[in-house]
Short mmCIF file of all heavy atoms in Angstrom, two decimals:
data_model
loop_
_atom_site.label_atom_id
_atom_site.label_comp_id
_atom_site.label_asym_id
_atom_site.label_seq_id
_atom_site.Cartn_x
_atom_site.Cartn_y
_atom_site.Cartn_z
N MET I 1 100.33 85.44 65.67
CA MET I 1 100.65 83.98 66.23
C MET I 1 102.08 83.96 66.78
O MET I 1 102.29 83.48 67.79
CB MET I 1 100.26 82.92 65.21
CG MET I 1 100.12 81.48 65.86
SD MET I 1 98.81 81.49 67.14
CE MET I 1 99.27 79.90 67.94
N LYS I 2 103.08 84.50 65.93
CA LYS I 2 104.49 84.40 66.35
C LYS I 2 104.48 85.26 67.73
O LYS I 2 105.26 84.78 68.63
CB LYS I 2 105.23 84.97 65.22
CG LYS I 2 106.66 84.81 65.47
CD LYS I 2 107.39 85.36 64.15
CE LYS I 2 108.74 85.82 64.63
NZ LYS I 2 109.41 86.61 63.63
N TYR I 3 103.94 86.44 67.68
CA TYR I 3 104.03 87.22 68.91
C TYR I 3 103.34 86.63 70.16
O TYR I 3 103.95 86.73 71.30
CB TYR I 3 103.42 88.54 68.68
CG TYR I 3 104.16 89.48 67.70
CD1 TYR I 3 103.72 89.67 66.28
CD2 TYR I 3 105.42 89.87 68.07
CE1 TYR I 3 104.47 90.41 65.53
CE2 TYR I 3 106.18 90.56 67.10
CZ TYR I 3 105.64 90.82 65.85
OH TYR I 3 106.48 91.54 64.96
N LEU I 4 102.38 85.83 70.03
CA LEU I 4 101.60 85.11 71.13
C LEU I 4 102.55 84.22 71.76
O LEU I 4 102.76 84.05 72.92
CB LEU I 4 100.37 84.45 70.57
CG LEU I 4 99.51 83.89 71.67
CD1 LEU I 4 98.75 85.05 72.38
CD2 LEU I 4 98.48 82.86 71.12
N ILE I 5 103.33 83.38 70.94
CA ILE I 5 104.30 82.43 71.32
C ILE I 5 105.43 83.10 72.18
O ILE I 5 105.76 82.72 73.17
CB ILE I 5 104.90 81.51 70.16
CG1 ILE I 5 103.74 80.56 69.67
CG2 ILE I 5 105.97 80.77 70.57
CD1 ILE I 5 104.01 80.05 68.30
N LEU I 6 105.91 84.16 71.55
CA LEU I 6 107.05 84.98 72.13
C LEU I 6 106.51 85.48 73.67
O LEU I 6 107.32 85.39 74.53
CB LEU I 6 107.38 86.20 71.33
CG LEU I 6 108.40 85.84 70.16
CD1 LEU I 6 108.55 86.98 69.29
CD2 LEU I 6 109.72 85.49 70.74
N MET I 7 105.18 85.96 73.58
CA MET I 7 104.78 86.43 74.90
C MET I 7 104.63 85.45 75.91
O MET I 7 104.94 85.55 77.08
CB MET I 7 103.38 87.02 74.60
CG MET I 7 103.14 88.30 75.44
SD MET I 7 101.63 89.20 74.78
CE MET I 7 100.38 88.40 75.97
N LEU I 8 104.23 84.19 75.41
CA LEU I 8 104.09 82.99 76.35
C LEU I 8 105.51 82.64 76.88
O LEU I 8 105.67 82.30 78.09
CB LEU I 8 103.42 81.82 75.67
CG LEU I 8 101.90 81.98 75.51
CD1 LEU I 8 101.29 80.73 74.56
CD2 LEU I 8 101.15 82.01 76.93
N LEU I 9 106.51 82.64 75.94
CA LEU I 9 107.84 82.25 76.48
C LEU I 9 108.46 83.32 77.47
O LEU I 9 109.00 82.91 78.50
CB LEU I 9 108.81 82.30 75.19
CG LEU I 9 108.74 80.97 74.43
CD1 LEU I 9 109.50 81.18 73.02
CD2 LEU I 9 109.22 79.76 75.13
N ALA I 10 108.17 84.54 77.33
CA ALA I 10 108.62 85.57 78.22
C ALA I 10 107.73 85.54 79.55
O ALA I 10 108.44 85.51 80.58
CB ALA I 10 108.21 86.92 77.53
N LEU I 11 106.52 85.09 79.47
CA LEU I 11 105.89 84.85 80.71
C LEU I 11 106.42 83.68 81.54
O LEU I 11 106.51 83.78 82.73
CB LEU I 11 104.32 84.69 80.42
CG LEU I 11 103.39 85.96 80.45
CD1 LEU I 11 102.16 85.56 79.84
CD2 LEU I 11 103.31 86.53 81.77
N ALA I 12 106.63 82.59 80.82
CA ALA I 12 107.26 81.31 81.46
C ALA I 12 108.68 81.71 82.04
O ALA I 12 108.88 81.37 83.17
CB ALA I 12 107.32 80.33 80.37
N GLY I 13 109.46 82.39 81.27
CA GLY I 13 110.81 82.88 81.78
C GLY I 13 110.68 83.68 83.05
O GLY I 13 111.42 83.41 84.00
N TRP I 14 109.66 84.58 83.00
CA TRP I 14 109.45 85.44 84.22
C TRP I 14 109.07 84.67 85.32
O TRP I 14 109.48 84.88 86.46
CB TRP I 14 108.43 86.58 83.80
CG TRP I 14 108.02 87.40 84.89
CD1 TRP I 14 108.68 88.55 85.42
CD2 TRP I 14 106.88 87.38 85.77
NE1 TRP I 14 107.99 89.00 86.50
CE2 TRP I 14 106.92 88.34 86.67
CE3 TRP I 14 105.77 86.54 85.65
CZ2 TRP I 14 105.90 88.46 87.69
CZ3 TRP I 14 104.71 86.61 86.68
CH2 TRP I 14 104.79 87.65 87.56
N TRP I 15 108.16 83.79 85.05
CA TRP I 15 107.61 82.81 86.13
C TRP I 15 108.70 82.02 86.93
O TRP I 15 108.73 81.89 88.08
CB TRP I 15 106.50 81.99 85.57
CG TRP I 15 105.75 81.10 86.65
CD1 TRP I 15 104.87 81.52 87.50
CD2 TRP I 15 106.03 79.76 86.86
NE1 TRP I 15 104.46 80.52 88.25
CE2 TRP I 15 105.15 79.39 87.78
CE3 TRP I 15 106.88 78.86 86.19
CZ2 TRP I 15 105.03 78.00 88.30
CZ3 TRP I 15 106.71 77.45 86.63
CH2 TRP I 15 105.98 77.00 87.72
N ILE I 16 109.49 81.51 86.03
CA ILE I 16 110.65 80.61 86.57
C ILE I 16 111.56 81.43 87.27
O ILE I 16 111.95 81.13 88.39
CB ILE I 16 111.45 79.89 85.29
CG1 ILE I 16 110.46 78.87 84.84
CG2 ILE I 16 112.79 79.25 85.83
CD1 ILE I 16 110.93 78.30 83.43
N TRP I 17 111.94 82.61 86.71
CA TRP I 17 112.76 83.55 87.42
C TRP I 17 112.28 84.07 88.83
O TRP I 17 112.93 84.01 89.88
CB TRP I 17 113.02 84.79 86.56
CG TRP I 17 113.92 85.98 87.18
CD1 TRP I 17 115.27 85.81 87.19
CD2 TRP I 17 113.51 87.07 87.93
NE1 TRP I 17 115.72 86.90 87.86
CE2 TRP I 17 114.72 87.60 88.23
CE3 TRP I 17 112.36 87.72 88.00
CZ2 TRP I 17 114.70 88.96 88.87
CZ3 TRP I 17 112.25 89.01 88.61
CH2 TRP I 17 113.37 89.56 89.01
N ARG I 18 110.93 84.30 88.90
CA ARG I 18 110.33 84.63 90.10
C ARG I 18 110.33 83.54 91.15
O ARG I 18 110.62 83.72 92.23
CB ARG I 18 108.77 84.88 89.82
CG ARG I 18 108.50 86.32 89.51
CD ARG I 18 108.55 87.45 90.42
NE ARG I 18 107.77 87.02 91.55
CZ ARG I 18 106.58 87.58 91.86
NH1 ARG I 18 105.95 88.35 90.89
NH2 ARG I 18 105.85 87.18 92.78
N ARG I 19 110.15 82.35 90.67
CA ARG I 19 110.20 81.03 91.60
C ARG I 19 111.67 80.86 92.09
O ARG I 19 111.77 80.50 93.34
CB ARG I 19 109.87 79.78 90.78
CG ARG I 19 108.38 79.68 90.62
CD ARG I 19 107.96 78.36 90.23
NE ARG I 19 108.37 77.27 91.21
CZ ARG I 19 107.64 76.46 91.78
NH1 ARG I 19 106.29 76.46 91.56
NH2 ARG I 19 108.11 75.46 92.66
N LEU I 20 112.63 81.14 91.30
CA LEU I 20 113.99 81.01 91.75
C LEU I 20 114.29 81.97 92.76
O LEU I 20 115.06 81.78 93.72
CB LEU I 20 115.04 81.00 90.67
CG LEU I 20 114.97 79.77 89.72
CD1 LEU I 20 115.78 80.02 88.39
CD2 LEU I 20 115.36 78.54 90.35
N LYS I 21 113.87 83.22 92.50
CA LYS I 21 114.34 84.38 93.32
C LYS I 21 113.49 84.31 94.59
O LYS I 21 113.95 84.80 95.58
CB LYS I 21 113.88 85.63 92.50
CG LYS I 21 114.89 86.77 92.72
CD LYS I 21 114.55 88.01 92.12
CE LYS I 21 115.23 89.20 92.86
NZ LYS I 21 114.31 90.35 92.95
N GLY I 22 112.27 83.82 94.59
CA GLY I 22 111.41 83.89 95.78
C GLY I 22 111.82 82.81 96.83
O GLY I 22 111.12 82.71 97.83
N ARG I 23 112.71 81.92 96.54
CA ARG I 23 113.04 80.87 97.60
C ARG I 23 113.63 81.55 98.84
O ARG I 23 114.56 82.40 98.71
CB ARG I 23 114.13 80.11 96.88
CG ARG I 23 113.88 78.59 97.07
CD ARG I 23 114.99 77.69 96.34
NE ARG I 23 114.53 77.12 95.12
CZ ARG I 23 115.36 76.42 94.32
NH1 ARG I 23 116.62 76.39 94.58
NH2 ARG I 23 114.95 75.90 93.14
N PRO I 24 113.09 81.19 99.95
CA PRO I 24 113.55 81.73 101.25
C PRO I 24 115.12 81.24 101.41
O PRO I 24 115.44 80.14 101.19
CB PRO I 24 112.73 81.14 102.29
CG PRO I 24 112.08 79.90 101.64
CD PRO I 24 112.27 80.16 100.19
N PRO I 25 115.91 82.19 102.01
CA PRO I 25 117.40 81.79 102.14
C PRO I 25 117.43 80.74 103.35
O PRO I 25 116.69 80.75 104.37
CB PRO I 25 117.98 83.21 102.57
CG PRO I 25 116.83 84.03 103.13
CD PRO I 25 115.64 83.63 102.39
N ALA I 26 118.37 79.75 103.10
CA ALA I 26 118.49 78.80 104.12
C ALA I 26 119.27 79.26 105.34
O ALA I 26 120.17 80.04 105.10
CB ALA I 26 119.28 77.63 103.43
N PRO I 27 118.85 78.95 106.49
CA PRO I 27 119.57 79.36 107.65
C PRO I 27 120.96 78.73 107.70
O PRO I 27 121.17 77.53 107.34
CB PRO I 27 118.66 78.89 108.84
CG PRO I 27 117.85 77.82 108.32
CD PRO I 27 117.72 78.04 106.89
N PRO I 28 121.92 79.58 108.12
CA PRO I 28 123.32 78.87 108.24
C PRO I 28 123.48 77.77 109.27
O PRO I 28 122.81 77.95 110.36
CB PRO I 28 124.13 80.05 108.62
CG PRO I 28 123.26 81.10 109.27
CD PRO I 28 121.99 80.88 108.72
N SER I 29 124.05 76.68 108.87
CA SER I 29 124.02 75.50 109.71
C SER I 29 125.19 75.80 110.71
O SER I 29 124.93 75.29 111.91
CB SER I 29 124.44 74.26 108.87
OG SER I 29 125.55 74.44 108.06
N ARG I 30 126.30 76.49 110.42
CA ARG I 30 127.27 76.64 111.42
C ARG I 30 127.88 78.03 111.31
O ARG I 30 127.89 78.60 110.21
CB ARG I 30 128.37 75.66 111.11
CG ARG I 30 129.34 75.68 112.45
CD ARG I 30 130.76 74.87 112.15
NE ARG I 30 130.41 73.46 112.05
CZ ARG I 30 131.31 72.59 111.76
NH1 ARG I 30 132.61 72.99 111.46
NH2 ARG I 30 131.19 71.31 111.90
N LEU I 31 128.09 78.75 112.50
CA LEU I 31 128.62 80.10 112.42
C LEU I 31 130.13 80.19 112.46
O LEU I 31 130.67 79.52 113.40
CB LEU I 31 128.00 80.84 113.56
CG LEU I 31 126.56 81.06 113.65
CD1 LEU I 31 126.13 81.82 115.03
CD2 LEU I 31 126.20 82.17 112.45
N PRO I 32 130.65 80.76 111.48
CA PRO I 32 132.17 81.13 111.60
C PRO I 32 132.42 81.89 112.76
O PRO I 32 131.55 82.76 113.10
CB PRO I 32 132.55 81.75 110.27
CG PRO I 32 131.30 81.80 109.59
CD PRO I 32 130.14 81.55 110.37
N PRO I 33 133.75 81.83 113.39
CA PRO I 33 133.97 82.72 114.60
C PRO I 33 133.79 84.18 114.17
O PRO I 33 134.25 84.60 113.21
CB PRO I 33 135.43 82.44 114.88
CG PRO I 33 135.91 81.53 113.85
CD PRO I 33 134.64 81.05 113.00
N GLY I 34 133.14 84.98 115.10
CA GLY I 34 132.98 86.45 114.95
C GLY I 34 131.70 86.82 114.07
O GLY I 34 131.39 87.88 114.05
N GLU I 35 131.07 85.79 113.63
CA GLU I 35 129.80 86.03 112.79
C GLU I 35 128.75 86.23 113.93
O GLU I 35 128.62 85.56 114.87
CB GLU I 35 129.62 84.84 111.88
CG GLU I 35 130.25 84.98 110.57
CD GLU I 35 129.79 86.08 109.70
OE1 GLU I 35 128.52 85.96 109.49
OE2 GLU I 35 130.52 86.84 109.15
N GLU I 36 127.73 87.02 113.43
CA GLU I 36 126.64 87.18 114.29
C GLU I 36 125.57 86.11 114.04
O GLU I 36 125.48 85.67 112.96
CB GLU I 36 126.01 88.50 114.05
CG GLU I 36 125.68 89.36 115.20
CD GLU I 36 125.08 90.71 114.81
OE1 GLU I 36 125.50 91.22 113.83
OE2 GLU I 36 124.10 91.15 115.53
N ALA I 37 124.72 85.65 115.13
CA ALA I 37 123.68 84.74 114.97
C ALA I 37 122.61 85.26 114.07
O ALA I 37 122.22 86.50 114.22
CB ALA I 37 123.27 84.41 116.34
N MET I 38 122.08 84.48 113.36
CA MET I 38 120.92 84.82 112.47
C MET I 38 119.60 84.33 113.19
O MET I 38 119.57 83.19 113.60
CB MET I 38 121.01 84.26 111.03
CG MET I 38 122.33 84.73 110.33
SD MET I 38 122.10 86.41 109.76
CE MET I 38 121.29 86.30 108.24
N VAL I 39 118.67 85.23 113.18
CA VAL I 39 117.31 84.78 113.84
C VAL I 39 116.27 85.01 112.77
O VAL I 39 116.38 86.02 111.95
CB VAL I 39 116.99 85.42 115.14
CG1 VAL I 39 117.97 85.01 116.24
CG2 VAL I 39 117.18 86.91 114.98
N ALA I 40 115.15 84.20 112.98
CA ALA I 40 113.87 84.45 112.07
C ALA I 40 112.97 85.31 112.67
O ALA I 40 112.78 85.31 113.74
CB ALA I 40 113.36 83.18 111.67
N CYS I 41 112.38 86.14 111.89
CA CYS I 41 111.20 87.06 112.28
C CYS I 41 110.15 86.11 112.68
O CYS I 41 109.69 85.19 111.88
CB CYS I 41 110.92 88.04 111.17
SG CYS I 41 109.24 88.94 111.46
N SER I 42 109.55 86.29 113.92
CA SER I 42 108.45 85.45 114.50
C SER I 42 107.16 85.62 113.66
O SER I 42 106.27 84.79 113.68
CB SER I 42 108.20 85.67 115.77
OG SER I 42 109.35 85.27 116.64
N HIS I 43 107.07 86.72 112.87
CA HIS I 43 105.82 87.01 112.03
C HIS I 43 105.96 86.49 110.64
O HIS I 43 105.10 85.66 110.15
CB HIS I 43 105.56 88.50 112.06
CG HIS I 43 104.28 88.88 111.32
ND1 HIS I 43 103.06 88.56 111.89
CD2 HIS I 43 104.10 89.30 110.09
CE1 HIS I 43 102.18 88.96 111.02
NE2 HIS I 43 102.72 89.40 109.90
N CYS I 44 107.00 86.94 109.93
CA CYS I 44 107.10 86.45 108.53
C CYS I 44 108.33 85.45 108.12
O CYS I 44 108.27 84.97 107.11
CB CYS I 44 107.37 87.82 107.66
SG CYS I 44 108.81 88.61 107.90
N GLY I 45 109.10 85.28 109.12
CA GLY I 45 110.16 84.18 108.94
C GLY I 45 111.39 84.69 108.25
O GLY I 45 112.24 83.84 107.92
N VAL I 46 111.40 86.03 108.02
CA VAL I 46 112.61 86.61 107.37
C VAL I 46 113.87 86.31 108.33
O VAL I 46 113.69 86.74 109.51
CB VAL I 46 112.41 87.99 106.90
CG1 VAL I 46 113.74 88.88 106.91
CG2 VAL I 46 111.67 88.00 105.47
N TYR I 47 115.04 86.05 107.78
CA TYR I 47 116.17 85.89 108.72
C TYR I 47 117.06 87.14 108.68
O TYR I 47 117.15 87.88 107.73
CB TYR I 47 117.20 84.80 108.07
CG TYR I 47 116.69 83.51 108.63
CD1 TYR I 47 115.85 82.72 108.05
CD2 TYR I 47 117.24 82.99 109.87
CE1 TYR I 47 115.24 81.54 108.61
CE2 TYR I 47 116.91 81.78 110.35
CZ TYR I 47 115.81 81.01 109.71
OH TYR I 47 115.40 79.80 110.19
N GLY I 48 117.58 87.61 109.88
CA GLY I 48 118.35 88.70 109.93
C GLY I 48 119.41 88.67 111.08
O GLY I 48 119.13 87.79 111.98
N PRO I 49 120.45 89.43 111.05
CA PRO I 49 121.45 89.38 112.33
C PRO I 49 120.67 89.72 113.53
O PRO I 49 119.82 90.64 113.40
CB PRO I 49 122.50 90.41 111.90
CG PRO I 49 122.10 90.94 110.55
CD PRO I 49 120.82 90.41 110.06
N VAL I 50 121.02 89.12 114.65
CA VAL I 50 120.22 89.34 115.82
C VAL I 50 120.16 90.74 116.26
O VAL I 50 119.25 91.16 116.90
CB VAL I 50 120.80 88.34 116.93
CG1 VAL I 50 122.05 88.68 117.42
CG2 VAL I 50 119.67 88.10 117.99
N SER I 51 121.23 91.43 116.02
CA SER I 51 121.32 92.91 116.49
C SER I 51 120.41 93.79 115.72
O SER I 51 120.03 94.95 116.15
CB SER I 51 122.82 93.47 116.31
OG SER I 51 123.26 93.37 115.00
N ASP I 52 120.04 93.36 114.54
CA ASP I 52 119.07 94.17 113.54
C ASP I 52 117.69 93.90 113.87
O ASP I 52 116.76 94.53 113.37
CB ASP I 52 119.43 93.94 112.07
CG ASP I 52 120.76 94.59 111.63
OD1 ASP I 52 121.35 95.29 112.38
OD2 ASP I 52 121.14 94.34 110.48
N MET I 53 117.36 92.85 114.65
CA MET I 53 116.01 92.44 114.88
C MET I 53 115.52 93.07 116.21
O MET I 53 116.26 93.27 117.09
CB MET I 53 115.95 90.86 115.02
CG MET I 53 116.51 90.13 113.82
SD MET I 53 115.65 90.33 112.31
CE MET I 53 114.61 88.89 112.38
N LEU I 54 114.21 93.20 116.18
CA LEU I 54 113.60 93.69 117.38
C LEU I 54 113.15 92.59 118.20
O LEU I 54 112.69 91.47 117.62
CB LEU I 54 112.34 94.56 116.94
CG LEU I 54 112.55 95.82 116.08
CD1 LEU I 54 111.30 96.43 115.61
CD2 LEU I 54 113.32 96.94 116.93
N ARG I 55 113.15 92.77 119.54
CA ARG I 55 112.85 91.68 120.49
C ARG I 55 111.66 92.19 121.40
O ARG I 55 111.71 93.25 121.76
CB ARG I 55 114.11 91.42 121.29
CG ARG I 55 114.41 89.92 121.26
CD ARG I 55 115.65 89.63 122.29
NE ARG I 55 115.16 88.70 123.22
CZ ARG I 55 115.97 88.05 124.01
NH1 ARG I 55 117.20 88.38 123.99
NH2 ARG I 55 115.52 87.16 124.92
N ASP I 56 110.89 91.31 121.58
CA ASP I 56 109.79 91.67 122.52
C ASP I 56 109.93 90.96 123.84
O ASP I 56 110.90 90.25 124.00
CB ASP I 56 108.44 91.39 121.84
CG ASP I 56 107.96 89.96 121.81
OD1 ASP I 56 108.77 89.17 122.27
OD2 ASP I 56 106.82 89.58 121.42
N GLY I 57 109.08 91.15 124.76
CA GLY I 57 109.13 90.75 126.10
C GLY I 57 109.17 89.21 126.22
O GLY I 57 109.80 88.65 127.15
N ASP I 58 108.66 88.50 125.22
CA ASP I 58 108.56 87.01 125.26
C ASP I 58 109.89 86.37 124.65
O ASP I 58 110.05 85.22 124.50
CB ASP I 58 107.46 86.37 124.45
CG ASP I 58 106.11 87.01 125.14
OD1 ASP I 58 106.01 87.01 126.31
OD2 ASP I 58 105.23 87.37 124.22
N GLY I 59 110.81 87.22 124.31
CA GLY I 59 111.98 86.64 123.72
C GLY I 59 111.93 86.34 122.25
O GLY I 59 112.73 85.75 121.65
N LEU I 60 110.93 86.89 121.52
CA LEU I 60 110.68 86.60 120.12
C LEU I 60 111.29 87.69 119.29
O LEU I 60 111.34 88.82 119.75
CB LEU I 60 109.15 86.49 119.80
CG LEU I 60 108.48 85.34 120.40
CD1 LEU I 60 106.94 85.60 120.28
CD2 LEU I 60 108.81 84.03 119.85
N HIS I 61 111.81 87.38 118.16
CA HIS I 61 112.55 88.30 117.32
C HIS I 61 111.52 88.72 116.07
O HIS I 61 110.84 87.90 115.66
CB HIS I 61 113.79 87.90 116.84
CG HIS I 61 114.80 87.60 117.90
ND1 HIS I 61 114.86 86.31 118.50
CD2 HIS I 61 115.73 88.47 118.32
CE1 HIS I 61 115.72 86.52 119.44
NE2 HIS I 61 116.39 87.73 119.29
N TYR I 62 111.72 90.02 115.77
CA TYR I 62 110.81 90.52 114.70
C TYR I 62 111.66 91.41 113.76
O TYR I 62 112.71 92.07 114.19
CB TYR I 62 109.72 91.35 115.24
CG TYR I 62 108.77 90.54 116.03
CD1 TYR I 62 108.81 90.53 117.34
CD2 TYR I 62 107.68 89.74 115.27
CE1 TYR I 62 107.92 89.74 118.15
CE2 TYR I 62 106.79 89.09 116.15
CZ TYR I 62 106.96 89.00 117.49
OH TYR I 62 106.16 88.20 118.24
N CYS I 63 111.35 91.43 112.40
CA CYS I 63 112.12 92.26 111.45
C CYS I 63 111.89 93.49 111.44
O CYS I 63 112.78 94.49 111.03
CB CYS I 63 112.07 91.60 110.11
SG CYS I 63 110.40 91.78 109.34
N SER I 64 110.73 93.97 111.98
CA SER I 64 110.31 95.35 111.88
C SER I 64 109.40 95.62 113.05
O SER I 64 108.79 94.85 113.66
CB SER I 64 109.63 95.74 110.54
OG SER I 64 108.45 95.03 110.36
N GLU I 65 109.22 96.92 113.34
CA GLU I 65 108.22 97.37 114.33
C GLU I 65 106.78 96.99 113.98
O GLU I 65 106.01 96.58 114.82
CB GLU I 65 108.34 98.86 114.49
CG GLU I 65 107.34 99.52 115.55
CD GLU I 65 107.49 99.11 116.93
OE1 GLU I 65 108.73 98.76 117.30
OE2 GLU I 65 106.59 98.92 117.69
N ALA I 66 106.42 97.04 112.71
CA ALA I 66 105.14 96.64 112.35
C ALA I 66 104.83 95.16 112.57
O ALA I 66 103.79 94.78 113.10
CB ALA I 66 104.91 96.92 110.80
N HIS I 67 105.84 94.36 112.35
CA HIS I 67 105.59 92.88 112.61
C HIS I 67 105.59 92.55 114.07
O HIS I 67 105.11 91.70 114.54
CB HIS I 67 106.69 92.11 111.83
CG HIS I 67 106.39 91.83 110.43
ND1 HIS I 67 107.25 91.17 109.59
CD2 HIS I 67 105.42 92.40 109.60
CE1 HIS I 67 106.68 91.32 108.36
NE2 HIS I 67 105.60 92.01 108.44
N ARG I 68 106.40 93.41 114.81
CA ARG I 68 106.46 93.16 116.32
C ARG I 68 104.94 93.48 116.86
O ARG I 68 104.50 92.85 117.73
CB ARG I 68 107.48 94.22 116.98
CG ARG I 68 107.72 93.70 118.51
CD ARG I 68 108.59 94.76 119.07
NE ARG I 68 107.98 96.08 119.23
CZ ARG I 68 107.17 96.30 120.12
NH1 ARG I 68 106.62 95.51 120.90
NH2 ARG I 68 106.47 97.60 120.15
N ARG I 69 104.41 94.44 116.36
CA ARG I 69 102.99 94.84 116.78
C ARG I 69 102.06 93.76 116.35
O ARG I 69 101.03 93.54 116.99
CB ARG I 69 102.56 96.19 116.15
CG ARG I 69 102.77 97.36 117.17
CD ARG I 69 102.17 98.67 116.68
NE ARG I 69 103.35 99.35 115.82
CZ ARG I 69 103.08 100.01 114.77
NH1 ARG I 69 101.91 100.01 114.17
NH2 ARG I 69 104.16 100.49 114.19
N LEU I 70 102.21 93.26 115.16
CA LEU I 70 101.31 92.18 114.67
C LEU I 70 101.49 90.79 115.48
O LEU I 70 100.53 90.02 115.46
CB LEU I 70 101.52 91.88 113.15
CG LEU I 70 101.07 93.04 112.27
CD1 LEU I 70 101.59 92.80 110.82
CD2 LEU I 70 99.46 93.01 112.16
N GLY I 71 102.69 90.64 115.98
CA GLY I 71 102.83 89.32 116.76
C GLY I 71 103.21 88.20 115.87
O GLY I 71 103.26 88.30 114.63
N PRO I 72 103.39 87.08 116.53
CA PRO I 72 103.77 85.83 115.80
C PRO I 72 102.69 85.41 114.77
O PRO I 72 101.45 85.53 115.13
CB PRO I 72 103.88 84.80 116.83
CG PRO I 72 103.82 85.53 118.16
CD PRO I 72 103.26 86.69 117.89
N GLY I 73 102.95 85.06 113.51
CA GLY I 73 102.07 84.79 112.52
C GLY I 73 102.31 83.61 111.69
O GLY I 73 103.38 83.19 111.52
ZN1 LIG U 101 108.70 90.22 109.65
#
C-alpha cells in the first residue's frame, strides 16, 4: 500500500512537470535592436528565427521540410 501511494505521487509529479514543460513559448512582444524576428511554423506553430525557417511560395514559414510539404495545419 505504501508503494502504491509513492507511485501515485511520482506519477502526479511527472504529470505536473510535463504540463509545465509542454507550455508553448510566448512570442516576444518587442524585438531588441539586432535581434532576429521570430516566426511561427504554419504547420505546428513552433517559433524560430526567420533565417532558420523554410519559406514557401505563399510567404508562409515552416520549421522543417516535412512540415513545408504537409502545408498549413
Ligand atoms: Zn513545424
Side-chain angles (χ1 to χ4, degrees):
M1 193 59 196
K2 194 177 151 194
Y3 290 107
L4 190 75
I5 291 160
L6 278 173
M7 221 172 86
L8 283 171
L9 278 172
L11 268 171
W14 174 80
W15 182 78
I16 290 162
W17 180 76
R18 278 282 306 263
R19 276 193 64 121
L20 290 172
K21 219 186 155 216
R23 232 180 251 173
S29 52
R30 193 192 284 178
L31 289 173
E35 278 284 310
E36 231 182 317
M38 299 285 277
V39 289
C41 172
S42 294
H43 183 77
C44 67
V46 154
Y47 276 86
V50 75
S51 65
D52 285 358
M53 304 294 267
L54 299 170
R55 230 184 125 168
D56 76 357
D58 301 320
L60 297 168
H61 294 88
Y62 296 95
C63 67
S64 62
E65 179 61 33
H67 283 180
R68 195 185 65 74
R69 258 182 275 139
L70 287 166

